[in-house]
Amino acid sequence: MIPNSTIIACVITLCISLIGPLVLLLILSLRWRKQGIAAAWFVGAAGFFVTQMVIRIPILSLLSASDGFASFAQEHLFLYGVLLAFTAGLFELAGRFAAAKVLKKKPIFRRALAAGLGHGGIEAIVLVGLTYVNNLIYLVMIQAGTFDALIAQTEAMGVDPSQLRAIQDTFLQTGAGLFLLAGLERLLTMVAHTAMSVLVCWGVWHNRTTPALLACLGIHTLLDSMVMVTYVVPQPASYWILYSFMGLVALFSLYLLRRLRKNWPACEKGEIV
């Protein structure tokens, strides 16, 4: 049986990563009407989706099929992790830059903020939110006993049910805390993504393009590289280090957002249109 706490944890993470971004989009669109908030959100979302889901991830999938690439990843794990972090930052930076150029005709702070929320929001939806829809379906099936019936039916059809058993074992052995951590990770990451997108918009719209792009790339690469801690430091210490660092980055991102808004020209903050 699955503990109720595990199901509740999955629901919370689903709300953070799937429902939350969409509800926030709706609220801001209604609150800041006639400022192109929804359009800016979707432009920011496209900046992530195209560069990562359409371009970078398929390229990595093709490279992973190569024996040489797989050997390099195994033999140089740390370097491989840093390169993955750098390419993620680089590709997403291209998406942020393109979004900033598209939105430049109306360079108000609120549209930059919406673009950042779109970038972080669509990543949360695609990478975590949709996964947790499946997770909840599996949990409900296991709880109701229908998952065992599915395994039995699969065996009766002559299909190897080992993958289904592995899924079941994972859910039975994983505590609620790990499911909650996924939601916390998305929340902290969305804050950082929003700040980075606003930083790029500020740089592109106010002739500070190069320093803004370099700062964004550096922050993103460092943030993604920290996942390597889990490979060199045993749990739970690695989780404490990783999430503490992410928390600090999120706090810095909030500070950065406040400073950027303060330095935004008054006529472009969104309050005066």
Side-chain angles (χ1 to χ4, degrees):
M1 294 291 288
I2 302 294
N4 289 333
S5 59
T6 298
I7 297 177
I8 293 171
C10 284
V11 170
I12 291 173
T13 293
L14 178 65
C15 289
I16 291 173
S17 57
L18 178 61
I19 300 173
L22 297 177
V23 170
L24 186 57
L25 167 62
L26 179 62
I27 291 172
L28 294 182
S29 297
L30 293 174
R31 182 179 178 186
W32 298 332
R33 296 183 180 184
K34 299 181 180 180
Q35 295 188 22
I37 298 302
W41 194 97
F42 282 105
V43 169
F48 168 82
F49 191 85
V50 173
T51 57
Q52 279 282 29
M53 307 307 295
V54 177
I55 301 176
R56 178 176 173 269
I57 291 179
I59 290 174
L60 288 176
S61 296
L62 289 174
L63 289 174
S64 297
S66 166
D67 292 337
F69 186 82
S71 297
F72 171 80
Q74 292 177 354
E75 295 172 7
H76 307 281
L77 182 61
F78 182 80
L79 179 59
Y80 173 69
V82 173
L83 287 175
L84 283 182
F86 177 77
T87 57
L90 188 63
F91 274 74
E92 289 188 43
L93 182 64
R96 296 183 205 275
F97 178 77
K101 297 292 281 186
V102 169
L103 299 172
K104 191 176 181 179
K105 290 182 180 180
K106 194 175 182 182
I108 63 174
F109 176 82
R110 288 176 177 175
R111 281 163 62 84
L113 183 66
L117 292 171
H119 188 112
I122 198 66
E123 182 187 54
I125 291 169
V126 171
L127 299 186
V128 179
L130 296 180
T131 299
Y132 269 72
V133 172
N134 287 333
N135 286 352
L136 276 173
I137 292 173
Y138 289 144
L139 286 172
V140 171
M141 290 178 67
I142 293 171
Q143 194 79 330
T146 55
F147 203 86
D148 287 327
L150 177 62
I151 292 175
Q153 184 181 7
T154 302
E155 273 186 309
M157 294 173 60
V159 180
D160 183 10
S162 58
Q163 187 173 1
L164 290 175
R165 293 188 187 279
I167 291 172
Q168 186 180 45
D169 290 341
T170 298
F171 284 115
L172 290 171
Q173 297 170 11
T174 303
L178 288 179
F179 290 111
L180 276 177
L181 281 179
L184 176 61
E185 183 268 340
R186 273 304 103 191
L187 183 62
L188 297 175
T189 302
M190 281 190 283
V191 173
H193 276 307
T194 301
M196 286 187 281
S197 290
V198 173
L199 174 62
V200 171
C201 286
W202 179 84
V204 171
W205 298 351
H206 301 99
N207 299 317
R208 297 289 189 275
T209 302
T210 300
L213 293 180
L214 291 177
C216 179
L217 181 60
I219 294 170
H220 198 154
T221 301
L222 181 60
L223 183 61
D224 283 6
S225 296
M226 281 300 295
V227 73
M228 297 307 297
V229 170
T230 60
Y231 291 95
V232 296
V233 179
Q235 298 177 9
S238 58
Y239 284 145
W240 280 104
I241 295 171
L242 177 61
Y243 283 89
S244 295
F245 178 78
M246 292 179 65
L248 290 174
V249 172
L251 288 174
F252 172 75
S253 298
L254 292 173
Y255 167 78
L256 180 61
L257 283 170
R258 183 177 179 182
R259 287 299 302 267
L260 288 171
R261 183 183 180 280
K262 184 178 179 180
N263 292 324
W264 220 274
C267 62
E268 295 177 1
K269 287 181 181 179
E271 289 83 350
I272 304 173
V273 180

